[in-house]
Amino acid sequence: MEKPHQGFWGLWNISFGFFGIQIGFALQNANVSRIFQSLGTSVDDLAFLWIAAPLTGLLVQPVIGHYSDRTWGRLGRRRPYFLAGAMLATIGLLAMPNAPVLWVAAALLWMLDGSLNISMEPFRAFVGDMLGSRQRTAGYAFQTGFIGAGAVVGSLAPIILTDVFRVANVAPAGGIPPSVQYGFYIGALALFFAVLWTVLTTEEYSPAQMAAFEDADAVEHSHGGSAISTTGARLAPLWIAMGAIVIAAVAQFGLDKPMYLLGGGLVAFGVALLISAALVRSGNGDNVLSQIVGDLTTMPTTMKQLALVQFFSWSALFIMWIYTTPIVTQHVFGTTDTASAAYNQGANWVGVLFAVYNGVATIWAFVLPSLAAKIGRRDTHIIGLVCGAAGFASFLLVRDQYVLIGSMVLIGIAWASILTMPYAILSGALPQDKLGVYMGLFNIFIVLPQLIVSSVMGEVVRTFFPGQAIWAMLIAAAVMLMAAAAMLRVPKRA
């Protein structure tokens, strides 16, 4: 039995909550570096403070995916998590621009990003739950459209408040400008009510219906958690050894302290493999740790191929999110003084640039289904990634704020494809009863590169490009091209 065809308003209601979630992410991405710098952080330390985002996503998304697969109640399967995350994220958005000191802002970033991830993760699985294979490219394109639209609103909020409503855009040293504060307040309300719209206007399929629908879909099944007793035990020493090497290298060569977190994470994963294997061998394998680790080590082939693509793609994106503000304010607006009017004008322009690439993504998302139908999903994604690489590389040549709009158009094409095509390909290769956990595990290959970038980019920029963070964009361009090359491993028919 195939899932019912969804019309325009069905697709709208399924994904409208993502509009609000992305407003939250856009406010965070465009303004958190500004908030940290306003509270006294140097540009070299920005990557370390941003480490909260990937760590929370790494921990939260697989767990939420696992439990949402097993949840069924009055609000259904995914919607309870939409609503809970939205409520927590609303509180985080209201509090973030009022942080009195740096450590409070860093703690609030942990809370905000974790809450946004609680809401976001089930939305990815929700599209797969609600749509048949023939509508999934359109479904994820619709979701990408809302992501882009929400990001435009979130990115432009401070500059609109400044230019249209004359809200002050500067604050005394150590303070957050009112334009940023009010932008976060508006974003908090938009997020909550957008998610509430999806919760109230959609009705999820029952477990029995989902089981019947799965029979109509061709999926790659994994072996599940049982394989962890052998596979995990063999691989655990390797992960622990790699983590120990990283930790020893940091101590020996005086590398950036955040790299301790990378080494510790590798060790922790190895230990998790050992614990999971022991639990399975003892007959206690039905626990969240063993199930998640088992699913990770036995994931379908298509997911493994796309994982490498995601790793490179999101490495490039995270570099952009961290360094665009200091790059534009220094090289286009000519200042590094965070209390100056020029700096805040440049920071607002970054919001405009982010709105451009998200606006382009909103439009390009609706081109993707027809393009994918003609040349295939794989080649459609390769084109998008190459466009993104060109956009990043152009930052090294451009010194005019308006010409940078062209750079962001190229990045917007890549962004639309990154948010659409991997999920459209992946959702058709996963079993319905594990769609949530696999979408959460897929997020590991989004947040792992962010964790690595947060750990090492500060050291890279400080060592090789002191005072010239613009060269980080060349690294982003190269990494995006690597993503395009990795995409060639995915079968053309995918």
Side-chain angles (χ1 to χ4, degrees):
M1 181 171 63
E2 294 188 2
K3 294 173 184 173
H5 182 87
Q6 295 283 347
F8 176 86
W9 288 110
L11 293 172
W12 176 287
N13 293 338
I14 287 169
S15 292
F16 185 69
F18 230 126
F19 174 70
I21 292 171
Q22 196 59 35
I23 289 176
F25 272 120
L27 285 165
Q28 172 182 294
N29 291 340
N31 294 285
V32 164
S33 287
R34 179 181 186 178
I35 291 172
F36 285 158
Q37 285 188 286
S38 296
L39 294 174
T41 304
S42 74
V43 65
D44 292 331
D45 294 327
L46 285 176
F48 172 61
L49 290 170
W50 270 85
I51 209 166
L55 275 179
T56 50
L58 187 67
L59 296 172
V60 167
Q61 290 219 22
V63 174
I64 294 299
H66 172 83
Y67 283 113
S68 71
D69 283 339
R70 299 178 173 213
T71 294
W72 185 258
R74 184 176 179 182
L75 284 178
R77 190 184 194 188
R78 314 292 182 189
R79 290 178 295 165
Y81 298 92
F82 301 165
L83 190 57
M87 293 172 68
L88 292 171
T90 298
I91 295 171
L93 285 169
L94 293 173
M96 185 76 186
N98 293 296
V101 292
L102 183 61
W103 72 265
V104 173
L108 286 169
L109 178 58
W110 279 80
M111 174 187 172
L112 176 58
D113 200 84
S115 303
L116 290 170
N117 274 282
I118 290 171
S119 274
M120 181 184 74
E121 196 285 330
F123 264 101
R124 292 296 191 192
F126 193 51
V127 172
D129 288 345
M130 301 298 293
L131 301 176
S133 59
R134 286 181 293 183
Q135 274 201 294
R136 282 179 184 153
T137 300
Y140 284 110
F142 227 92
Q143 194 172 88
T144 298
F146 278 126
I147 291 172
V152 169
V153 173
S155 298
L156 288 179
I159 197 168
I160 290 174
L161 288 168
T162 298
D163 292 350
V164 177
F165 296 99
R166 304 302 178 187
V167 176
N169 190 43
V170 294
I176 310 301
S179 60
V180 175
Q181 292 178 321
Y182 288 121
F184 272 67
Y185 301 157
I186 294 168
L189 294 175
L191 184 153
F192 181 77
F193 285 109
V195 171
L196 187 63
W197 177 281
T198 290
V199 170
L200 296 177
T201 60
T202 57
E203 184 176 351
E204 298 184 62
Y205 298 119
S206 70
Q209 289 174 305
M210 293 299 294
F213 291 143
E214 185 170 10
D215 292 339
D217 289 330
V219 297
E220 297 177 45
H221 289 279
S222 67
H223 298 293
S226 61
I228 194 62
S229 61
T230 55
T231 305
R234 289 199 308 268
L235 295 177
L238 176 62
W239 289 105
I240 293 172
M242 288 193 298
I245 290 170
V246 172
I247 292 171
V250 176
Q252 178 67 30
F253 300 107
L255 302 178
D256 211 3
K257 293 291 191 296
M259 292 189 68
Y260 278 124
L261 292 173
L262 177 59
L266 294 172
V267 171
F269 181 63
V271 171
L273 289 173
L274 289 176
I275 294 172
S276 299
L279 288 169
V280 171
R281 284 195 300 269
S282 66
N284 298 312
D286 190 18
N287 62 82
V288 62
L289 177 63
S290 294
Q291 291 294 323
I292 289 176
V293 174
D295 289 331
L296 176 61
T297 58
T298 58
M299 59 187 175
T301 301
T302 300
M303 184 170 169
K304 293 177 183 178
Q305 294 165 339
L306 289 170
L308 187 61
V309 179
Q310 292 291 86
F311 180 89
F312 290 133
S313 302
W314 286 84
S315 295
L317 290 169
F318 206 58
I319 291 170
M320 177 186 71
W321 290 331
I322 293 173
Y323 290 108
T324 299
T325 295
I327 287 171
V328 170
T329 53
Q330 179 182 2
H331 292 278
V332 178
F333 286 82
T335 184
T336 57
D337 180 5
T338 61
S340 68
Y343 175 89
N344 284 284
Q345 183 184 2
N348 271 2
W349 188 250
V350 171
V352 173
L353 295 177
F354 280 20
V356 168
Y357 88 75
N358 281 289
V360 169
T362 301
I363 297 169
W364 192 253
F366 296 101
V367 176
L368 289 173
S370 58
L371 182 60
K374 292 179 181 178
I375 67 173
R377 291 168 173 170
R378 186 198 73 170
D379 291 348
T380 296
H381 195 36
I382 290 173
I383 290 171
L385 295 172
V386 172
C387 286
F392 290 133
S394 68
F395 268 75
L396 278 76
L397 305 174
V398 175
R399 292 295 180 270
D400 184 281
Q401 68 185 88
Y402 298 104
V403 178
L404 280 177
I405 292 174
S407 304
M408 286 301 180
V409 168
L410 293 171
I411 293 171
I413 292 172
W415 182 229
S417 191
I418 289 168
L419 292 174
T420 304
M421 303 316 300
Y423 297 98
I425 295 170
L426 182 63
S427 61
L430 299 178
Q432 289 288 329
D433 62 342
K434 290 191 173 183
L435 197 56
V437 69
Y438 274 126
M439 286 295 183
L441 289 171
F442 196 51
N443 186 63
I444 289 176
F445 305 101
I446 294 174
V447 299
L448 182 60
Q450 294 178 39
L451 176 59
I452 293 173
V453 168
S454 297
S455 299
V456 305
M457 278 305 295
E459 182 71 30
V460 169
V461 170
R462 183 164 41 249
T463 301
F464 297 102
F465 316 115
Q468 295 293 322
I470 192 169
W471 290 102
M473 285 298 189
L474 181 61
I475 297 173
V479 172
M480 191 67 89
L481 283 177
M482 293 170 70
M487 193 67 194
L488 291 171
R489 297 173 63 242
V490 178
K492 190 175 179 65
R493 67 182 183 277

